[in-house]
């Protein structure tokens, strides 16, 4: 008889400190030093387990040192995308039928490889290629990706155990089948963990995937793909197809076997993809599943009772860590006028003192923004604010792209709560403060709710319980991840399932069973032990005389 298998109980991967003298600091420094003498890596496509080189290459650079080439990566064209679809279809035959424990074992091994021998390679690649500090790389590339994998295995087991009732005479079952076709995983630059999770979550559920990584995170993402391979993922289950985004998309989006999109990135790209899927509907074998986590305009709103020190710290960390390039980063702040005049000077002072530079110098708190287009976009907001009559740049506001795409952490103060930097996603180290008259607390909560189209993260600070409750109620739909007396960034897998509504996405909560359920199509099976042998019902019998 087979055993009734249960998976290991997951715990969050401990975040290492990298303080002076620790072994992890020595290992990471050695790994970073090893890069100094290396030639740029040559990153191929991986299709059906084979490395494919098209010769049509692009450069992967360090954002804080844009003349430094980390890798050349080959771009897929329509032919390679077609090959990847065929490879995924052939892998589907076995993978979609493979026992659940075997699939889980492959991914649990990947998590352990990342936690152990691969940890510092992937951390270093994330620091160099995405300009993350040690701490930001550790909580993302190592810990969050490890957590995604281990917790998803646990959540998948929970899903499998959800079974219907079986009254006497029958046995009812639910079988959680993978989708019939392939999944298209389109991943953002800003989290190595999200990049790994978007292909891995559907694959864990038995699906096959074409993964198009972000052009700005190629180095770390390729290493994650290598970990999946080393863990024993069969060829063709996840196919690594970097390339020009529209080219790759056009080559697969109308395919009859396209079964789902697993996307994280900006709202505008998601809307374009959804429309294309709508246009292709008549040609698909199934209705594709569409999961997309997109932009945000995340807020802090403080009640007059809030602790000013806590509010100040939440702004500094929430707005500027990873250069404000977290979908959850604080970018609009509403403070009562009295509190604003109390924390304004210390906040500006501390902002100006933030150490920014090459993240491989561990003393820095911030690195560079990801690429030139981002630099142009962010500095455009700063320049317009400097010239605006209803806004003022009160900290930072300077930038320099000579060596890397560096933008100083910037605070804008506005008298207009509808000013553009209060409404639009900037995705850089820029936060805008609006000071409201204390007696307009409820109006301010309405303002917070209605100012932007997004609904991703937000925080209320209040020591008055009733007012914290009022904010929670009035902002019920303003954020899919809501925080009370804490910054609205830094969600942890298994603790604060992440995602938002409105223009911020389909809110399927990455790293939870809600997300995994999107990648299965359940089959109900009813088995009757002694089937009926007469079609007539007793009610049809003649009345007795
Ligand atoms: P992006 O929209 O530039 O790119 C996202 C992905 O879409 C990349 O793989 C990119 O190559 C691809 N892409 C771009 N144009 C495309 C096209 N025309 N067709 C097909 N694919 C295309 O976003 P980004 O700069 O990588 O990431 C930042 C964005 O992601 C921000 O808006 C941020 O809020 C969002 N984000 C959201 C979450 C969340 O959980 N809600 C998490 C991380 C990032």
């Amino acid at each position: 008889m087979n055993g009734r298998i249960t998976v290991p109980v997951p715990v969050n991967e401990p975040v290492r400190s990298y303080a002076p003298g620790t072994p992890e600091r020595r290992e990471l420094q050695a790994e970073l030093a090893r890069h100094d003498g290396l030639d740029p890596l040559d990153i191929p496509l991986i299709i059906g387990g084979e490395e494919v080189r098209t010769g049509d290459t692009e450069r992967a650079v360090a954002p804080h040192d844009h003349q430094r080439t980390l890798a050349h990566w080959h771009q897929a064209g329509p032919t390679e995308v077609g090959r990847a679809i065929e490879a995924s279809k052939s892998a589907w035959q076995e993978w979609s039928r493979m026992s659940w424990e075997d699939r889980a074992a492959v991914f649990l091994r990947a998590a352990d490889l990342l936690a152990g021998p691969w940890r510092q390679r992937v951390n270093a690649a994330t620091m160099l290629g995405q300009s993350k500090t040690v701490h930001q790389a550790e909580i993302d590339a190592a810990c969050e990706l490890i957590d995604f994998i281990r917790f998803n295995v646990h959540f998948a087991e929970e899903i499998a155990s959800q079974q219907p009732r079986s009254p006497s005479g029958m046995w009812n079952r639910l079988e959680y089948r993978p989708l019939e076709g392939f999944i298209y995983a389109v991943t953002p630059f800003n989290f190595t963990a999200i990049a790994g999770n978007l292909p891995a979550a559907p694959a864990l559920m038995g699906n096959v995937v074409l993964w198009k990584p972000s052009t700005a995170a190629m180095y770390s993402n390729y290493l994650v793909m290598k970990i999946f391979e080393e863990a024993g993922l069969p060829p063709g289950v996840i196919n690594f197809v970097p390339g020009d985004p529209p080219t790759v998309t056009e080559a697969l989006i109308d395919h009859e076997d396209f079964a789902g999109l697993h996307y994280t990135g900006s709202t505008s790209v998601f809307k374009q993809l959804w429309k294309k899927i709508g246009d292709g509907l008549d040609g698909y074998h199934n209705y594709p599943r569409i999961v997309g986590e997109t932009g945000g305009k995340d807020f802090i709103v403080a009640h007059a009772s809030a602790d000013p020190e806590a509010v100040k710290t939440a702004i500094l960390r929430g707005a500027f860590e990873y250069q404000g390039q977290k979908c959850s980063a604080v970018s609009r702040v509403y403070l009562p006028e009295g509190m604003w005049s109390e924390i304004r000077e210390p906040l500006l002072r501390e902002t100006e003192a933030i150490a920014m530079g090459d993240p491989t110098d561990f003393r820095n708190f911030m690195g560079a923004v990801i690429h030139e287009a981002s630099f142009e976009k962010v500095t455009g907001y700063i320049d317009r604010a400097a010239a605006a009559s209803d806004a003022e740049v009160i900290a930072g506001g300077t930038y320099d792209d000579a060596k890397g795409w560096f933008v100083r952490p910037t605070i804008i103060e506005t008298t207009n709560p509808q000013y553009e930097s209060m409404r639009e996603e900037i995705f850089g180290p820029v936060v805008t403060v609006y000071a409201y008259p204390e007696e307009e607390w409820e109006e301010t909560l309405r303002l917070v709710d209605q100012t932007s189209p997004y609904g991703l993260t937000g925080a209320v600070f209040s020591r008055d319980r009733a007012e914290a409750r009022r904010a929670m109620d009035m902002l019920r739909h303003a954020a899919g991840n809501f925080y009370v007396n804490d910054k609205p960034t830094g969600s942890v897998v298994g603790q604060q399932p992440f995602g938002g509504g409105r223009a911020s996405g389909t809110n399927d909560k990455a790293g939870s069973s809600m997300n995994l359920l999107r990648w299965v199509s359940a089959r109900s099976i009813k088995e009757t032990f002694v089937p009926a042998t007469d079609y007539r019902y007793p009610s049809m019998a003649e009345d007795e005389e």
Side-chain angles (χ1 to χ4, degrees), residues 442-526:
E442 282 192 39
E443 290 86 325
T444 303
L445 291 177
R446 264 191 291 279
L447 198 58
V448 174
D449 183 48
Q450 289 162 14
T451 298
S452 104
Y454 298 106
L456 194 50
T457 78
V460 62
F461 280 77
S462 170
R463 282 182 288 202
D464 178 328
R465 183 69 208 164
E467 298 310 332
R469 164 59 57 197
R470 190 190 306 278
M472 258 187 277
D473 290 345
M474 289 182 66
L475 298 172
R476 186 162 185 228
H477 294 283
N481 281 62
F482 194 77
Y483 294 78
V484 181
N485 293 323
D486 204 346
K487 66 181 168 53
T489 58
S491 69
V492 175
V493 177
Q495 297 184 27
Q496 299 92 21
F498 192 81
R502 296 186 178 165
S504 291
T506 53
N507 198 14
D508 290 290
K509 299 292 187 207
S512 80
S513 58
M514 286 174 261
N515 178 283
L516 298 183
L517 276 171
R518 302 299 308 275
W519 309 118
V520 289
S521 174
R523 173 164 77 148
S524 286
I525 301 173
K526 174 188 176 187

Side-chain angles (χ1 to χ4, degrees), residues 96 162-164 173-178 520-525:
S96 67
Q162 286 170 28
Q163 292 295 326
R173 275 169 277 171
L174 263 184
E175 180 191 350
Y176 294 94
R177 302 170 302 180
V520 289
S521 174
R523 173 164 77 148
S524 286
I525 301 173

Side-chain angles (χ1 to χ4, degrees), residues 302 308 311-312 315 333-348 392 394-395 411-414 431-436 438:
V311 172
K312 188 189 72 188
I315 297 171
V333 176
Y334 302 78
L335 301 179
E337 283 166 346
M339 181 184 301
W340 179 225
S341 50
E342 186 181 338
I343 67 171
R344 191 175 188 277
E345 283 318 310
L347 179 65
L348 303 196
E392 191 187 346
I394 57 172
I411 303 177
I412 298 172
E413 181 177 11
T414 185
V431 63
T432 305
V433 178
Y434 168 70
Y436 70 88
E438 232 159 89

Side-chain angles (χ1 to χ4, degrees), residues 186-187 189-190 212 245 249 264-266 293-295 327 425 427 498:
V186 180
T187 61
F189 80 83
N190 66 336
K212 196 207 70 53
T249 301
T264 297
S266 61
E293 302 304 335
T294 65
C327 47
E425 185 180 54
F427 222 60
F498 192 81

